Amino acid sequence: MTAPRVGSVLSVRDLEVRYRGPDGDVCAVDGVSFDVRPGEVLGLAGESGSGKSTLAHAALRLLRPPAVITRGEVWIDGEDVLALGPGGLARLRWRTASIVLQNALDALNPVLTVHEQLADTLRAHAPFPNARAARLRAEELLALVGLGEDTLDRWPHQLSGGQRQRVNIALALALRPKLVVMDEPTTALDVVVQRELLQRVLQLRDALGFAVLFITHDLPLLFDLADRVGVLYAGRLAELGPAAAMRENPAHPYTRGLLRAMPPLTGPRRPLAGIPGAPPDPAHPLPGCRFAPRCAVAAARCRTEVPFAHAVGPGWRAACHAAPGLPATRSP
Amino acid sequence: MSALAWLARRLGLYAVAAWAALTLGFALPRMVPGDPAAALLARLQGKAGPEAIAALRAALGVSDAPLVEQYGAYLLALTRGDLGVSVSRFPTPVAELIGGALGWTLLLAGVSVAISFVLGSALGLAAAWRGGVLDTVVGPALTLLGAFPYFWLAMGALHVFGFGLGWFPLRHAWDTSVAPAPTLEFGWGVVRHAALPALTLVGASVGGWMLGMRTSARSILATDQVLLARARGLPTARVVSAYVLRNAVLPHLTGFGMALGFVVSGALLTEVVFSYPGEGWLLVQAVRAQDYPLLQGLVLAITLAVLAANALVDVLTLLVDPRTRAA
Ligand SMILES: Nc1ncnc2c1ncn2[C@@H]1O[C@H](COP(=O)(O)OP(=O)(O)OP(=O)(O)O)[C@@H](O)[C@H]1O
Ligand SMILES: [Mg+2]
């Protein structure tokens, strides 16, 4: 295992997360390592159940039982997250790093107005001289995400899905964090609203300079959005590399399959190929490569030997025995 | 629809229900065979002069006038708070009897229901938040207590703490040896008399509230909004009160309203066991003496109380849950 990269806002090293259960554990995240650099958008894609949300929660130590981190390290802005006490955690969470979750409505308190929730967050970290100051700051935050002042005194149920998620983003940006984790922030929204919101996030990133760990099941979307892209399969990182290079020439058969399975949002339509078969049952992991049963190029070795990630280009690695690359440089 | 319109519609609904109850109260005694007023008059025949009997007939509302006219007179009397005259305690007005008992019932049952709800909800919330002994021992113990038949619990408490240990008075609502005046001494007597029945009432119901609150608080604690409130570093007190409690209490408001509404029927068994002079005690008296006017007045009072409690819950829900304001 390599040391956390100096200068990364987020370093995840060999992370393993399990859900404890009466019939044994489910290993939802299995030996994942990656870095998010200041100001960049790192995209993580994967099918449903591949461990995306588990990873997002683990990064900010927000896992709830029966989930436990059984191995690995998480570093945020030079701090060892898994070793932090309550005070350190309270400083880290929301000043340095924040999160936006998948379901916008569940993430808001239904009985408090938008302003009350924003003000609660602001006041928890810095005292405000008076109510007026807090309100002005809340207004500024809403303006950042393109919501008017009239939204302040509304309740979540009075907002559209897109507006709710904007409020969640405003909440995440309330304390000017260096890292915002976004777990499928736009999955519940229609395509037009989704595009608008993502454009807004990118603009804000340029203006405010925070880094984003962007999680989605929509790989083509990531290629449009992210600087670097990682692909998760059954809790393992299959491939991670620069978005432009990976889109042109994906190294992992799973990445290739995913790209074929999705209609491009722009450009000509073409028939969807998809990937035959279904993801493995995480309660009964197979030996070897987890993708082997669905892989068109799987060899005998793939069913017995776990493929380690190896470099296929600069800043680009894939965990596949068949992937091309530079066999001399092996890194986890 | 605006919140006020919604509330107005609800209140209109209650008004219709109240009117139906009033009308039923008018119709039922006139449908049953055997006129209680006639029975009372028969008992007085020969003892009272014809003028006195005519006055009595008028007071009891017995007349040969057409039904519509009677109905009008009945409603008119109600607007004046006139519920007729008790037969068993002739000639005390029914309204006076009910009014006198109401204070004691509100004091005993009303305060007990409120304490039980607040205490049970607080315990349930704490059990869901902290777990521990509260969740594993106190919760099941209180549930067990609530599972006993209530009269058994009440008589057991009276026997042990009243009769055996002599810690509490055995019957009645105040100290008869002290002049009923707003003095500290009299007040202390009232508290001492209410304490044991109130304890049994709270003991029998607090477990239910606790269990209900524990369940709903647990499901609220599992939501993303609470996870995020904690992640954002909000003070624990704020998370518990505004993010957990306010959401978890919503499903129990209706139950609380029902419990409050039925307070006016008196904690019947409590008042009987402890000879406490509230509405429940009065109700039993009325049934024993076949005092129809009193019974009718009590039924009306109970119905109106249930409706009023429901209206109160509607207003409360409106205040706590903004979603009802928009629906
Ligand atoms: N509370 C839990 N108990 C047991 N197993 C769980 C629990 N939550 C998730 N899992 C398992 O962990 C794995 C990863 O779940 P996770 O929610 O991280 O997936 P995801 O990639 O976010 O999926 P989606 O796209 O549907 O949100 C799944 O196989 C799931 O079955
Ligand atoms: Mg998810």
Side-chain angles (χ1 to χ4, degrees), chain A residues 64 106 109-110 120-121 125, chain B residues 222 225 232 238 242-243 247 323:
Chain A
R64 285 172 285 206
D106 285 357
N109 183 347
D120 273 351
T121 307
H125 296 272
Chain B
Q225 58 104 359
R232 287 187 215 121
R238 179 71 182 160
Y243 290 72
N247 284 295
R323 281 162 296 187

Side-chain angles (χ1 to χ4, degrees), chain A residues 57 62 64 93-94 99 101 106-112 116-117 120-121 124-125 155 157-158 168 171, chain B residues 221-225 227-228 230-235 238 242-243 246-247 250 320-323 325-326:
Chain A
H57 284 74
L62 288 172
R64 285 172 285 206
R93 279 199 306 229
W94 243 259
I99 191 167
L101 294 182
D106 285 357
L108 295 170
N109 183 347
V111 300
L112 294 186
E116 284 171 310
Q117 304 191 47
D120 273 351
T121 307
H125 296 272
W155 283 278
H157 72 268
Q158 295 173 314
N168 282 315
L171 279 164
Chain B
L221 279 172
T223 58
D224 280 350
Q225 58 104 359
L227 181 78
L228 286 173
R230 295 170 83 168
R232 287 187 215 121
L234 267 52
R238 179 71 182 160
Y243 290 72
R246 271 189 69 177
N247 284 295
L250 288 176
V320 185
D321 188 355
R323 281 162 296 187
R325 277 170 248 177

Side-chain angles (χ1 to χ4, degrees), chain A residues 102-154:
Chain A
Q102 194 160 353
N103 188 328
L105 188 56
D106 285 357
L108 295 170
N109 183 347
V111 300
L112 294 186
T113 61
V114 169
H115 173 251
E116 284 171 310
Q117 304 191 47
L118 276 166
D120 273 351
T121 307
L122 291 168
R123 276 202 217 94
H125 296 272
F128 271 86
N130 53 45
R132 182 88 202 112
R135 200 176 163 88
L136 279 176
R137 180 79 184 106
E139 235 175 81
E140 275 172 37
L141 284 168
L142 284 190
L144 278 186
V145 295
L147 290 175
E149 182 210 352
D150 54 315
T151 314
L152 272 182
D153 295 310
R154 301 241 201 132

